[in-house]
Amino acid sequence: MMMLSGIILAAHWSVFYYSIQISTVAIGLLTSATFPVFAAFLEPLVFHEKIKASSLILVAFTLFGIILVTPGLDGGDYFWGAVCGVIAGALYAVLNLFNRYYSEQDYPAPLIACYEQGIAAVVLFPVCLFTVTVSPSAKDLMLLAFLGIIFTGIGHTIFISGLKYIKVQTAGIISCMEPVYGTLFAAFFLSEIPSVREITGGIIILAVSAISSLSPGKPVSRSENH
């Protein structure tokens, strides 16, 4: 299961980074923020629960928000960026199901992150070895190390450890803030100013994701059940 979750993490990283590469940071983040909606469908299937009719309504609103976020549906880069972002969100929802299971089994968060990211690195290394055509500079390597260690390694570990103490639904709501932060930083550092249409679609997606995360669910931590 750890090997499978590591492969899913590698796929999630790949399609997410490709999404923001061919479109914008805002489109990639907002479309990938659909993961709580996917979780609302996947959790009942995994735990043999009935899918609620409200989930279908939330999906309809999410699709409307994605259409607003995507500047065009003509098959251009922005369109495929949105598609890749949605795929990244679906993969992240699946990964969260694995992480919830590991947390319930009392695996330490650093151990989970180490296995998942280590396996993802092994999977991606041969791909990078045969596809990378640009030699990174010393500055690029430093920035990649900063991204990998601080924002990926440590950030992922902290998120997993949080699943031991709060509900998955609560973690989903907090995660919905990521596109807000990312869009603001992209506007400041990359001059990627989102349009009114993108902002409207983003608000709809984030609202639907928050509503999905607010659906009743039991805490993950065993200590809360005692």
Side-chain angles (χ1 to χ4, degrees):
M1 288 181 65
M2 281 283 187
M3 291 184 66
L4 180 58
S5 59
I7 294 172
I8 293 172
L9 178 60
H12 164 72
W13 280 344
S14 299
V15 291
F16 173 72
Y17 286 128
Y18 186 67
S19 173
I20 63 176
Q21 185 179 42
I22 64 175
S23 59
T24 65
V25 173
I27 289 176
L29 286 173
L30 289 170
T31 51
S32 65
T34 55
F35 80 88
V37 180
F38 286 105
F41 275 91
L42 292 174
E43 282 188 312
L45 292 176
V46 172
F47 297 103
H48 306 290
E49 300 170 351
K50 185 178 179 180
I51 297 178
K52 299 179 181 179
S54 58
S55 298
L56 299 176
I57 299 175
L58 293 177
V59 168
F61 275 102
T62 301
L63 291 175
F64 179 63
I66 292 172
I67 291 173
L68 289 179
V69 166
T70 309
L73 300 177
D74 54 357
D77 285 347
Y78 284 176
F79 170 78
W80 289 113
V83 170
C84 289
V86 172
I87 294 174
L91 291 170
Y92 194 58
V94 174
L95 185 64
N96 272 339
L97 292 179
F98 279 96
N99 288 336
R100 190 179 101 171
Y101 170 78
Y102 300 143
S103 297
E104 288 178 342
Q105 301 303 313
D106 288 332
Y107 285 104
L111 180 66
I112 298 171
C114 179
Y115 273 113
E116 288 183 346
Q117 294 176 32
I119 293 167
V122 171
V123 170
L124 291 173
F125 181 75
V127 178
C128 296
L129 193 63
F130 292 105
T131 59
V132 173
T133 57
V134 179
S135 298
S137 64
K139 179 183 178 182
D140 292 335
L141 290 174
M142 182 183 68
L143 291 175
L144 284 171
F146 193 67
L147 171 65
I149 296 171
I150 305 297
F151 296 110
T152 303
I154 295 178
H156 189 210
T157 303
I158 293 174
F159 181 83
I160 295 173
S161 64
L163 294 178
K164 275 184 168 288
Y165 307 106
I166 62 174
K167 296 179 181 180
V168 174
Q169 292 82 4
T170 306
I173 295 173
I174 297 171
S175 294
C176 287
M177 293 302 297
E178 180 185 3
V180 178
Y181 300 143
T183 302
L184 290 175
F185 285 136
F188 183 78
F189 291 108
L190 304 176
S191 299
E192 292 183 356
I193 309 299
S195 65
V196 175
R197 174 175 167 170
E198 290 176 323
I199 293 174
T200 304
I203 291 173
I204 293 174
I205 293 173
L206 295 179
V208 171
S209 298
I211 292 172
S212 300
S213 299
L214 283 170
S215 60
K218 66 180 182 179
V220 171
S221 176
R222 290 182 175 182
S223 62
E224 292 182 22
N225 296 329
H226 292 164

